[in-house]
Amino acid sequence: MSRVVSLLLGAALLCGHGAFCRRVVSGQKVCFADFKHPCYKMAYFHELSSRVSFQEARLACESEGGVLLSLENEAEQKLIESMLQNLTKPGTGISDGDFWIGLWRNGDGQTSGACPDLYQWSDGSSSQYRNWYTDEPSCGSEKCVVMYHQPTANPGLGGPYLYQWNDDRCNMKHNYICKYEPEINPTAPAEKPYLTNQPGDTHQNVVVTEAGIIPNLIYVVIPTIPLLLLILVAFGTCCFQMLHKSKGRTKTSPNQSTLWISKSSRKESGMEV
């Protein structure tokens, strides 16, 4: 129960409104400052030719010390959905493209009623959680599972093709999601660079950031900088105007005005004599 609550809090911290909303970037590992959540990485490829098969995705995750995503419960599913929504928000240019997860079926193709029970997680997880789209899995020669991500597709019988699962042929080319053990050393450096070296990846170097306490402080401080600058500008403008008015009053003091009138009066009296 505590793990479910922890995952729900993680989703709120990730994409809730306010200073703690974190930007999810393709190819970047996302960790959490509480050091309890697993870390995740969304590998999205704009070019279809750069996307990978199930086995290639699995090897890519394992080469970085992770595994292809397994999902323990609905709370973790919602967390991943929040991350994908953040990744694909307007302006990023990221659109349709399903994501491999670590669920697959070993054995010959079959369409019997027992087929759904034969799917297992590639990392050995015993989780029985499933989030199949309507009429899935279709089984047969489709043994590997993707998480739907087709926001521009017309909804089907089961609704939009978003975040629910579908079995597909393992040699099909898709994006993928990796999962890593949570951070266990809070004093470790906040940033550690990695090279993805993913099969078919057109990006040579992707910097992977493991977020800790310092990055979270940065997310709080940076948004306040424009407000501080605005306050300083307003304060400086106010001081300048007050100083300008003070100088204006000094130049037109009553003593100076009386002295000028006095001199004029003397000249006029001299002319009358």
Side-chain angles (χ1 to χ4, degrees):
M1 182 64 182
S2 61
R3 183 167 181 80
V4 172
V5 174
S6 179
L7 286 168
L8 289 173
L9 289 175
L13 287 175
L14 179 72
C15 295
H17 296 292
F20 289 102
C21 189
R22 176 175 299 162
R23 177 76 174 88
V24 177
V25 179
S26 174
Q28 185 179 70
K29 187 191 292 185
V30 177
C31 297
F32 298 85
D34 60 8
F35 309 107
K36 296 178 181 179
H37 297 85
C39 300
Y40 303 95
K41 185 180 76 172
M42 311 290 166
Y44 175 88
F45 304 91
H46 287 275
E47 299 295 331
L48 297 178
S49 59
S50 298
R51 296 176 183 178
V52 298
S53 67
F54 179 86
Q55 185 62 16
E56 288 173 326
R58 181 178 176 179
L59 291 175
C61 294
E62 293 176 353
S63 70
E64 297 178 342
V67 294
L68 204 53
L69 176 68
S70 60
L71 292 152
E72 295 186 8
N73 46 48
E74 185 178 1
E76 189 170 19
Q77 168 75 25
K78 294 300 182 184
L79 176 61
I80 296 300
E81 291 179 15
S82 297
M83 296 178 72
L84 287 174
Q85 290 167 5
N86 187 294
L87 173 70
T88 60
K89 63 184 180 182
T92 61
I94 297 177
S95 185
D96 291 2
D98 298 337
F99 289 80
W100 286 121
I101 61 175
L103 193 64
W104 73 304
R105 173 171 53 86
N106 191 12
D108 298 332
Q110 52 183 294
T111 57
S112 68
C115 171
D117 298 330
L118 300 178
Y119 282 87
Q120 58 187 340
W121 297 104
S122 59
D123 64 354
S125 170
S126 59
S127 170
Q128 297 301 309
Y129 175 74
R130 302 290 186 266
N131 189 39
W132 295 111
Y133 191 80
T134 301
D135 297 332
E136 300 294 346
S138 53
C139 299
S141 61
E142 299 178 340
K143 301 179 181 180
C144 299
V145 178
V146 295
M147 183 180 291
Y148 271 140
H149 188 267
Q150 300 176 26
T152 66
N154 293 325
L157 295 176
Y161 294 96
L162 279 174
Y163 315 128
Q164 292 174 302
W165 306 354
N166 169 54
D167 57 339
D168 201 354
R169 296 194 302 275
C170 298
N171 62 350
M172 296 297 290
K173 305 293 185 179
H174 295 294
N175 307 304
Y176 60 91
I177 304 173
C178 296
K179 182 177 181 179
Y180 307 85
E181 290 294 322
E183 291 291 332
I184 58 175
N185 183 7
T187 60
E191 295 186 356
K192 299 178 183 179
Y194 293 85
L195 298 181
T196 56
N197 294 326
Q198 298 159 354
D201 191 353
T202 57
H203 304 285
Q204 295 180 353
N205 296 324
V206 176
V207 176
V208 179
T209 301
E210 297 181 2
I213 296 175
I214 294 178
N216 273 340
L217 291 177
I218 292 175
Y219 283 113
V220 176
V221 173
I222 289 180
T224 64
I225 292 177
L227 179 60
L228 293 175
L229 291 176
L230 182 60
I231 293 173
L232 288 175
V233 171
F235 180 75
T237 303
C238 183
C239 290
F240 176 78
Q241 291 177 349
M242 292 177 63
L243 181 62
H244 182 71
K245 291 180 179 179
S246 177
K247 289 183 177 180
R249 287 195 298 268
T250 302
K251 290 181 180 180
T252 58
S253 64
N255 292 335
Q256 289 177 333
S257 301
T258 303
L259 181 61
W260 184 82
I261 295 172
S262 176
K263 287 182 180 180
S264 300
S265 300
R266 288 176 183 176
K267 288 182 181 180
E268 288 176 359
S269 62
M271 290 176 65
E272 289 177 357
V273 174

